[in-house]
Amino acid sequence: FFESVPTVTPHEGFNAAEDATTLRQAMKGFGTDEQAIIDILTARSNGQRQAIAKAFLDEYGRDIIEDLKSELGGKFEDVILALMKPPNEYLCKELNKAMDGVGTNESTLVEILCPQSNEAVKEIVAAYEELYDRPLAEHLCTETSGNFRRLLTLIITGVRDPIGATDADKAKEQAAQLHEAGEGKLGTDEEVFYRILAHASFDQLRLIFDEYKELSGQTIEQALKHELSGELLEAMNCIVECVQSPAAFFATRLHKAMDGMGTDDTTLIRIVVSRSEIDLETIKKEFERIYNRTLLSAIKENETSGDYKHALVALIGEA
């Protein structure tokens, strides 16, 4: 249904040993050749970066991550280390960071978990337990509450129907259930909302939302805005946006990360890195369509600077 075009693809003519040698040269002795690090690591797929790390260890007996940490600093280091982690491990680290310490960053939990298919969620859940030796569900339960917690729990338990599963008649019924649970009554039956939005496949939800508009004359977004609030609303909106266009959801998140005072670098880095091999090219198109300017110009005019900016620009691609 959606075009998903990445900006980073496997490098043709890839040679892990050669790249390892170039990177070793870039970090050896006085000073660091940051540009060489950017040129190689932003132009290789994650699988290829893992192969480089292995070649680096085999050839030099050194951990490339440790070398990068000691040579780089600041936000630039954050981007490069994010690129070196296997994708699921990186997302788990971000989830953990969002829940660790005082307060919880609900927006990050929403952004990482709500757009995922069941298959992808299963992988994240397994990786999380392996990394932190505690189930993701249990950690989430201690850091969230109410219906927001219930929705996220359903998502990570993997109750969503398989990709492509649709039933037109059922969509009519489900649209009617949503209508009755919200506009059709005093107060809102939130459970009906989060159950349907967590269980139905994204293709089914598309049908439900169309039926909802037929039935009630207003869009599902308008209905949610009337009926819900806080992080539950944010999570539901994320699902709705990802059903309609995941790229538009991420484009909006990127815009928000750079809008106003200060930049939310963590979100900026996470989206650029984690979507680079999935749909960052598509996200760029959506960004331009929605905001009438390129993502590249937004990043260049933003407070990002130096090697950090160069690395982001390399991942996004000039064109």
Side-chain angles (χ1 to χ4, degrees), residues 21-33:
T21 306
T22 310
L23 288 168
R24 176 75 179 123
Q25 296 301 331
M27 295 188 280
K28 218 169 78 176
F30 287 116
T32 308
D33 183 351

Side-chain angles (χ1 to χ4, degrees), residues 87-314:
N88 284 333
E89 191 181 307
Y90 173 57
L91 289 180
C92 286
K93 188 182 142 287
E94 292 290 299
L95 284 170
N96 186 267
K97 205 160 71 184
M99 294 187 283
D100 218 23
V102 182
T104 304
N105 186 335
E106 286 88 2
S107 288
T108 301
L109 301 181
V110 166
E111 177 211 302
I112 294 175
L113 296 171
C114 293
Q116 307 289 356
S117 69
N118 253 357
E119 290 68 20
V121 167
K122 277 192 185 108
E123 287 178 14
I124 291 170
V125 167
Y128 196 90
E129 187 151 4
E130 195 162 299
L131 273 173
Y132 296 105
D133 214 18
R134 79 186 283 195
L136 177 57
E138 182 260 321
H139 196 176
L140 268 174
C141 280
T142 61
E143 299 297 329
T144 55
S145 60
N147 286 336
F148 179 60
R149 172 165 74 193
R150 290 186 189 102
L151 173 67
L152 289 187
T153 303
L154 284 176
I155 287 173
I156 63 168
T157 329
V159 297
R160 196 175 293 292
D161 293 335
I163 294 169
T166 56
D167 177 337
D169 292 334
K170 197 175 172 191
K172 277 193 169 64
E173 281 168 38
Q174 289 169 308
Q177 285 167 3
L178 287 173
H179 188 255
E180 275 162 37
E183 291 173 83
K185 61 179 288 201
L186 235 64
T188 307
D189 187 347
E190 292 184 350
E191 186 182 352
V192 174
F193 278 87
Y194 70 71
R195 281 198 174 276
I196 290 176
L197 267 75
H199 279 268
S201 72
F202 278 20
D203 302 276
Q204 178 72 3
L205 285 172
R206 203 167 296 122
L207 296 179
I208 295 170
F209 299 160
D210 288 344
E211 290 292 346
Y212 190 91
K213 191 149 193 310
E214 282 284 290
L215 176 72
S216 77
Q218 63 169 345
T219 64
I220 189 75
E221 290 96 325
Q222 290 167 321
L224 290 173
K225 211 169 162 181
H226 288 160
E227 304 300 333
L228 308 170
S229 62
E231 53 258 25
L232 182 63
L233 174 63
E234 189 181 350
M236 297 280 207
N237 274 337
C238 167
I239 295 171
V240 171
E241 285 175 42
C242 288
V243 163
Q244 292 163 349
S245 163
F249 167 73
F250 287 108
T252 312
R253 284 280 293 171
L254 283 169
H255 182 259
K256 222 181 194 153
M258 294 184 280
D259 206 26
M261 292 289 290
T263 304
D264 176 357
D265 294 291
T266 311
T267 299
L268 184 56
I269 294 169
R270 184 174 56 247
I271 294 176
V272 169
V273 169
S274 69
R275 305 306 294 188
S276 59
E277 286 186 64
I278 303 172
D279 57 358
L280 189 53
E281 189 61 48
T282 319
I283 292 169
K284 277 159 62 176
K285 283 190 183 142
E286 283 297 290
F287 191 95
E288 192 167 356
R289 183 184 67 78
I290 300 167
Y291 300 106
N292 215 357
R293 64 180 306 194
T294 64
L295 177 57
L296 208 63
S297 70
I299 292 218
K300 283 182 169 171
E301 285 170 32
N302 194 260
E303 298 113 73
T304 55
S305 61
D307 295 316
Y308 170 41
K309 182 188 284 186
H310 296 156
L312 289 177
V313 167

